[in-house]
């Protein structure tokens, strides 16, 4: 590993292996190699929280290794911290659509429901700055009201909510947490504002009145719905947490090493499918990275962003395509497939970590520059896919690799552009060093010394500056 630049520029890499085959060790070592390059930003998309929790079921001190290799602070951003910008109407409209659909706010036939949600999306996107008070965009309405309250403009905030100043003052005095009352008033105005859309979609005034009555009555009976509506509004509260733009700035401008922990997203929005929710946020952040990278490339012609995006459990998000995939997963898969083909010229590389070649998208699989195959893929369809990229004379040797659970020896077969042999068609077999061996080989220190060094660095951070 080069002392100054690590592995250099980003590449397209895949790590494939069954559970317990050593994927986390190998991924840690490769990421440490890239992190050595201080001019490279690294984003780890961590849907299960393994990286963020420092691999609690193994003896891999991943975060300590990565911090020491990088020589810079590691940013762990939890799903509780993530925010979307209220000024990005497309993100607001997309999430409002997703929230409404998941919570079945407007129950009707699937065809009519889709039509309604599309109308709602268009209305939010086209909301003018002077129309925030109508709450067709509840996020803009909430942001506007909270700003007025924080600025002491109680009269204006009350008018926005359809209350008198005295009524709002009483509500604020009665509750130490004013969010409940504010959210309830925003909800009432939001439902009232969608009447026009309902009227367009449904024939008959009586149907519209029944639906709006049902929706307002539903909130009165269902405090859990109010709690989730508050969570929806708080997702756009940028006074705390980090927006997608913030994360991308840390990655591209400040070249940070970031673990984006998505594991607890489902706790914030219990009715939205967990994998779909994670795909939604991955879509937002990957799209923003590409947008910024293209802008930078066009501005300079050769100014590359030099970023590596690592995705754990990749088969869940860029798996074999099925027509019944939810929209967010379709969009994420489509976006990553496009990026793997096109974004290397911008200096964006990818590292996919997954359990199998079978459930991993074949178009992306064939675009990779480097393949690492760990134990457990020597049969069936996994073997056939391996044969596409590995010369047959190396396959039998791979199939004879020992079971790591029985021998405690972890092996990987590698083929691709990183191969130390002077041909990309050859394969190299690597015994993965244990974490202790890796530290000794690369940093000339023991695990205990690494932990002690981290304690010293932490104590220096807390020490006041003279």
């Amino acid at each position: 590993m080069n002392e100054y630049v690590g592995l250099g520029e980003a590449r397209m890499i895949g790590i494939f292996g069954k559970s317990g085959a050593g994927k986390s060790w190998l991924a840690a070592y490769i990421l440490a190699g890239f992190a050595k390059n201080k001019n490279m930003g690294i984003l780890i998309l961590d849907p299960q929280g393994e990286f963020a929790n420092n691999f609690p079921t193994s003896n891999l001190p991943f975060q300590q290794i990565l911090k020491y290799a990088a020589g810079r602070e590691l940013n762990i951003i939890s799903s509780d911290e993530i925010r979307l910008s209220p000024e990005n109407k497309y993100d607001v409209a997309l999430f409002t659509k997703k929230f409404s659909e998941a919570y079945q706010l407007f129950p009707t036939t699937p065809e009519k429901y889709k039509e309604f949600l599309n109308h709602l999306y268009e209305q939010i996107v086209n909301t003018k700055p002077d129309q925030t008070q109508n709450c067709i965009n509840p996020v803009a309405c909430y942001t506007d009201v909270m700003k007025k309250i924080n600025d002491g403009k109680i009269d204006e905030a009350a008018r926005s909510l359809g209350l008198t100043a005295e009524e709002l003052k009483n509500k604020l005095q009665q509750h130490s947490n004013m969010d409940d009352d504010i959210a309830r008033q925003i909800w009432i105005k939001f439902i009232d504002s969608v009447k026009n859309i309902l009227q367009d979609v449904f024939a008959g005034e009586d149907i519209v009145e029944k639906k709006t009555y049902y929706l307002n009555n539903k909130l009165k009976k269902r405090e859990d719905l109010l709690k989730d509506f508050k969570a929806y509004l708080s997702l756009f509260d940028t006074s705390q947490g980090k927006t997608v733009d913030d994360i991308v700035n840390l990655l591209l401008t400040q070249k940070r090493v970031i673990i984006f922990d998505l594991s607890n997203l489902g706790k914030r929005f219990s009715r939205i499918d967990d994998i779909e929710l994670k795909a939604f946020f991955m879509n937002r952040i990957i799209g923003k990275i590409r947008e910024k990278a293209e802008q930078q490339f066009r501005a300079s012609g050769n100014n590359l962003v030099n970023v590596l995006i690592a995705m754990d459990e990749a088969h869940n998000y860029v798996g074999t395509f099925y027509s019944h995939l939810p929209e967010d997963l379709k969009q994420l898969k489509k976006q990553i497939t496009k990026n793997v083909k096109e974004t290397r010229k911008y200096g964006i590389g990818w590292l996919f970590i997954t359990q199998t070649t079978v459930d991993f998208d074949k178009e992306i699989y064939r675009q990779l520059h480097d393949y690492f195959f760990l134990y457990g893929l020597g049969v069936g369809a996994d073997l056939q896919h391996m044969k596409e990229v590995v010369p047959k004379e190396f396959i039998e040797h791979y199939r004879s690799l020992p079971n790591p659970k029985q021998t405690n020896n972890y092996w990987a077969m590698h083929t691709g552009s990183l191969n130390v042999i002077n041909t990309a068609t050859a394969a190299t077999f690597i015994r993965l060093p244990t974490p202790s061996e890796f530290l000794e080989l690369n940093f000339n220190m023991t695990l205990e010394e690494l932990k002690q060094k981290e304690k010293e660095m932490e104590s220096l951070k807390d020490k006041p500056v003279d």
Side-chain angles (χ1 to χ4, degrees):
M1 200 159 47
N2 186 294
E3 183 179 355
Y4 300 104
V5 298
L7 290 175
E9 67 172 6
R11 293 173 170 86
M12 309 298 177
I13 302 172
I15 297 176
F16 305 92
K18 298 297 183 186
S19 179
K23 292 192 303 297
S24 58
W25 282 11
L26 180 56
Y29 302 156
I30 291 174
L31 287 166
F34 279 117
K36 192 81 170 170
N37 180 356
K38 291 181 172 56
N39 293 318
M40 174 178 281
I42 296 175
L43 173 66
I44 301 170
L45 299 172
D46 188 16
Q48 303 302 323
E50 291 289 311
F51 291 88
N53 291 306
N54 215 18
F55 294 94
T57 58
S58 76
N59 63 346
L60 174 67
F62 170 74
Q63 292 176 18
Q64 290 87 344
I65 288 174
L66 199 59
K67 281 200 292 192
Y68 189 77
R72 45 196 157 139
E73 193 55 41
L74 183 66
N75 292 88
I76 301 175
I77 298 173
S78 74
S79 51
D80 291 337
E81 295 178 82
I82 187 65
R83 299 288 184 271
L84 294 174
S85 171
E87 294 171 3
N88 187 326
K89 291 184 182 180
Y90 294 98
D91 279 359
V92 174
L94 280 169
F95 197 80
T96 305
K97 186 176 177 180
K98 171 168 285 301
F99 182 84
S100 300
E101 186 172 24
Y103 285 81
Q104 297 180 315
L105 297 185
F106 308 96
T108 182
T109 61
E111 296 78 17
K112 288 288 186 184
Y113 195 69
K114 185 175 181 180
E115 186 182 346
F116 169 79
L117 290 176
N118 288 336
H119 274 68
L120 179 61
Y121 176 92
E122 292 295 332
Q123 291 271 0
I124 291 173
V125 168
N126 293 314
T127 299
K128 302 289 189 298
D130 60 347
Q131 294 176 322
T132 55
Q133 292 184 18
N134 68 16
C135 282
I136 196 70
N137 179 342
V139 170
C141 191
Y142 176 75
T143 303
D144 178 59
V145 166
M146 294 305 292
K147 185 178 186 308
K148 287 171 179 172
I149 290 174
N150 290 330
D151 290 345
K153 299 176 180 178
I154 302 299
D155 289 358
E156 292 182 29
R159 281 197 297 274
S160 297
L161 291 172
L163 301 171
T164 66
E166 196 62 34
E167 286 173 330
L168 180 57
K169 286 177 185 176
N170 288 337
K171 288 179 182 295
L172 297 179
Q173 288 170 358
Q174 288 169 8
H175 301 284
S176 56
N177 184 353
M178 61 184 174
D179 286 353
D180 278 5
D181 279 322
I182 302 298
R184 186 176 277 105
Q185 290 299 131
I186 297 289
W187 168 270
I188 291 168
K189 290 205 71 178
F190 171 57
I191 296 306
D192 191 55
S193 296
V194 301
K195 274 187 179 182
N196 291 334
I197 302 176
L198 290 169
Q199 190 65 60
D200 289 339
V201 176
F202 300 101
E205 182 68 29
D206 57 328
I207 295 176
V208 174
E209 291 301 328
K210 285 178 183 177
K211 287 190 178 296
T212 51
Y213 173 80
Y214 162 80
L215 288 165
N216 280 320
N217 201 42
K218 186 176 183 179
L219 186 67
K220 293 173 186 174
K221 293 180 179 178
R222 292 272 310 282
E223 286 300 313
D224 60 324
L225 180 57
L226 178 61
K227 177 184 174 185
D228 290 332
F229 187 65
K230 280 174 58 183
Y232 153 82
L233 292 174
S234 70
L235 179 62
F236 299 88
D237 180 6
T238 55
S239 64
Q240 51 190 324
K242 288 183 172 62
T243 66
V244 168
D245 285 315
D246 293 333
I247 297 171
V248 173
N249 181 58
L250 288 173
L251 183 69
L252 301 188
T253 306
Q254 301 186 36
K255 302 299 182 187
R256 298 288 186 89
V257 180
I258 301 169
I259 299 175
F260 188 20
D261 178 11
L262 295 154
S263 59
N264 290 318
L265 265 178
K267 292 181 180 178
R268 291 175 75 179
F269 303 99
S270 58
R271 297 277 188 92
I272 303 177
D273 179 81
D274 188 53
I275 288 181
E276 285 185 55
L277 197 55
K278 291 169 183 175
F280 178 88
F281 283 99
M282 288 186 202
N283 264 321
R284 307 276 72 70
I285 198 163
I286 292 168
K288 184 61 69 173
I289 290 170
R290 173 163 183 148
E291 178 189 324
K292 295 289 185 184
E294 286 179 340
Q295 289 173 358
Q296 186 168 315
F297 186 78
R298 284 197 301 268
S300 65
N302 59 1
N303 189 6
L304 307 184
V305 293
N306 202 19
V307 160
L308 178 71
I309 303 172
M311 174 181 278
D312 195 20
E313 299 293 327
H315 56 280
N316 284 331
Y317 303 95
V318 285
T320 307
F321 185 82
Y322 295 107
S323 58
H324 63 267
L325 279 177
E327 189 60 32
D328 287 305
L329 281 169
K330 283 182 184 177
Q331 290 300 321
L332 179 62
K333 179 181 160 58
K334 182 178 178 181
Q335 181 168 208
I336 293 177
T337 302
K338 182 179 174 68
N339 283 356
V340 168
K341 289 179 181 178
E342 300 175 2
T343 57
R344 195 183 182 200
K345 66 183 178 184
Y346 304 135
I348 300 174
W350 288 84
L351 170 62
F352 298 101
I353 307 160
T354 185
Q355 295 182 19
T356 173
T357 62
V358 176
D359 295 328
F360 186 70
D361 181 75
K362 300 307 169 290
E363 196 171 352
I364 296 175
Y365 179 78
R366 296 183 185 108
Q367 294 289 329
L368 299 177
H369 302 137
D370 290 275
Y371 303 80
F372 290 87
F373 299 101
L374 291 97
Y375 181 81
L377 305 175
V379 295
D382 277 319
L383 179 61
Q384 296 307 312
H385 293 135
M386 190 186 298
K387 287 179 178 178
E388 291 183 20
V389 296
V390 179
K392 63 180 180 180
E393 60 265 29
F394 296 96
I395 297 291
E396 284 309 310
H397 187 51
Y398 166 83
R399 297 183 73 186
S400 67
L401 293 178
N403 186 333
K405 292 182 179 178
Q406 295 173 352
T407 63
N408 211 31
N409 283 317
Y410 295 81
W411 285 84
M413 177 177 66
H414 166 259
T415 187
S417 61
L418 289 172
N419 207 315
V420 293
I421 301 173
N422 192 25
T423 170
T425 61
T428 304
F429 291 85
I430 309 159
R431 184 185 72 81
L432 302 186
T434 65
S436 296
E437 290 172 336
F438 180 82
L439 288 169
E440 186 68 37
L441 286 167
N442 289 278
F443 305 121
N444 194 28
M445 67 168 60
T446 65
L447 179 57
E448 289 69 28
E449 288 171 335
L450 177 64
K451 289 180 178 177
Q452 181 58 37
K453 187 172 281 291
E454 186 182 33
K455 286 181 182 177
E456 292 170 4
M457 291 171 69
E458 287 298 318
S459 64
L460 284 174
K461 275 172 54 179
D462 298 333
K463 190 175 180 179
V465 179
D466 293 335

